[in-house]
Amino acid sequence: DARVTQTPRHKVTEMGQEVTMRCQPILGHNTVFWYRQTMMQGLELLAYFRNRAPLDDSGMPKDRFSAEMPDATLATLKIQPSEPRDSAVYFCASGSDRVRNTEAFFGQGTRLTVV
Amino acid sequence: AQTVTQSQPEMSVQEAETVTLSCTYDTSESDYYLFWYKQPPSRQMILVIRQEAYKQQNATENRFSVNFQKAAKSFSLKISDSQLGDAAMYFCAYRRGRVGSQGNLIFGKGTKLSVKP
């Protein structure tokens, strides 16, 4: 059963600490997305990778956020230092744009609370 | 830039009745897909239905169907015979269709659907 796996599911951390969220995309998928979901802003795109190369990270605060794909099986989103306003649910999604089936599959999200 | 608008923050329907959720979008592209995603309290994003812009026929998936009006850039979701398990947030989303340059999903703000027993 192919699925996108995100870890951790929940994270509570103190302001100023580093937070790393991980995502394992579905094998064979070549696009990976990081979204942030908040009540106020809804689902916002933070980063978009294609064939492991970052194509769009314009939605990501550059001073504290970073996203990488060290290999095809792992994507990471890091916040350093974390702030209370970063509290949100962070979703990873993967898909394939090599064919016309453009569905994106989502992980279960990481609920981040920064106190 | 493409945008997706859901004008109904909340909707309510009686169990077994029919409800329609609205979505409008704006794009200059001719090749694109439209989606409805469901997010129950578990927060898992679940694809409900997909529509390809070049297909005139409205997509259907069991109790879920869409009314796709390409000229009006409208994409509404109809849920028939509503069930308690349909209660969730529903997101309308857009994505370019061209192979190799589809980019990310662009979401509306969502509609919270409540189902009354």
Side-chain angles (χ1 to χ4, degrees):
Chain A
D1 183 25
R3 64 181 70 185
V4 176
T5 303
Q6 283 188 252
T7 55
R9 290 289 311 279
H10 306 272
K11 176 73 175 179
V12 180
T13 191
E14 292 185 348
M15 183 173 63
Q17 295 298 306
E18 178 179 298
V19 175
T20 299
M21 290 168 271
R22 293 177 172 80
C23 169
Q24 181 177 1
I26 292 173
L27 189 65
H29 282 183
N30 72 321
T31 56
V32 173
F33 310 91
W34 284 102
Y35 286 89
R36 176 171 62 184
Q37 185 178 29
T38 61
M39 289 292 292
M40 293 299 295
Q41 301 298 327
L43 282 154
E44 305 172 277
L45 179 73
L46 295 176
Y48 161 38
F49 290 82
R50 183 176 188 271
N51 297 333
R52 293 178 55 203
L55 288 195
D56 185 356
D57 61 1
S58 58
M60 198 164 64
K62 301 292 191 303
D63 56 338
R64 298 183 300 108
F65 284 60
S66 62
E68 295 180 346
M69 277 202 76
D71 61 61
T73 65
L74 178 64
T76 63
L77 179 67
K78 189 175 296 185
I79 308 174
Q80 167 63 21
S82 57
E83 297 180 1
R85 60 180 167 151
D86 300 330
S87 297
V89 178
Y90 291 81
F91 284 100
C92 174
S94 74
S96 173
D97 70 356
R98 300 188 186 98
V99 293
R100 286 194 62 82
N101 179 4
T102 60
E103 178 182 351
F105 294 80
F106 282 77
Q108 290 191 288
T110 295
R111 180 177 290 280
L112 175 65
T113 304
V114 183
V115 298
Chain B
Q2 295 87 10
T3 59
V4 177
T5 302
Q6 293 178 251
S7 58
Q8 306 153 316
E10 295 187 25
M11 292 281 285
S12 180
V13 63
Q14 204 71 34
E15 196 176 5
E17 297 294 311
T18 296
V19 65
T20 298
L21 308 184
S22 301
C23 173
T24 58
Y25 61 96
D26 190 23
T27 183
S28 58
E29 303 272 347
S30 59
D31 184 6
Y32 55 88
Y33 283 75
L34 296 165
F35 305 85
W36 280 97
Y37 278 87
K38 170 185 178 181
Q39 187 181 40
S42 67
R43 77 170 184 250
Q44 177 70 54
M45 294 287 284
I46 302 164
L47 179 67
V48 174
I49 199 164
R50 162 181 42 215
Q51 176 77 44
E52 298 174 68
Y54 66 86
K55 288 188 177 179
Q56 293 188 343
Q57 186 174 8
N58 289 325
T60 61
E61 288 286 344
N62 301 314
R63 298 182 296 107
F64 299 87
S65 61
V66 299
N67 183 4
F68 175 46
Q69 301 289 326
K70 191 171 183 178
K73 295 181 181 175
S74 170
F75 183 61
S76 60
L77 175 69
K78 185 171 83 171
I79 306 174
S80 304
D81 186 24
S82 297
Q83 300 176 358
L84 295 177
D86 295 333
M89 282 289 287
Y90 286 82
F91 292 95
C92 180
Y94 164 100
R95 192 178 186 191
R96 292 195 304 265
R98 199 178 320 149
V99 171
S101 64
Q102 288 151 357
N104 55 284
L105 284 163
I106 299 169
F107 287 93
K109 294 290 189 186
T111 297
K112 184 177 181 181
L113 178 67
S114 303
V115 180
K116 298 177 181 177

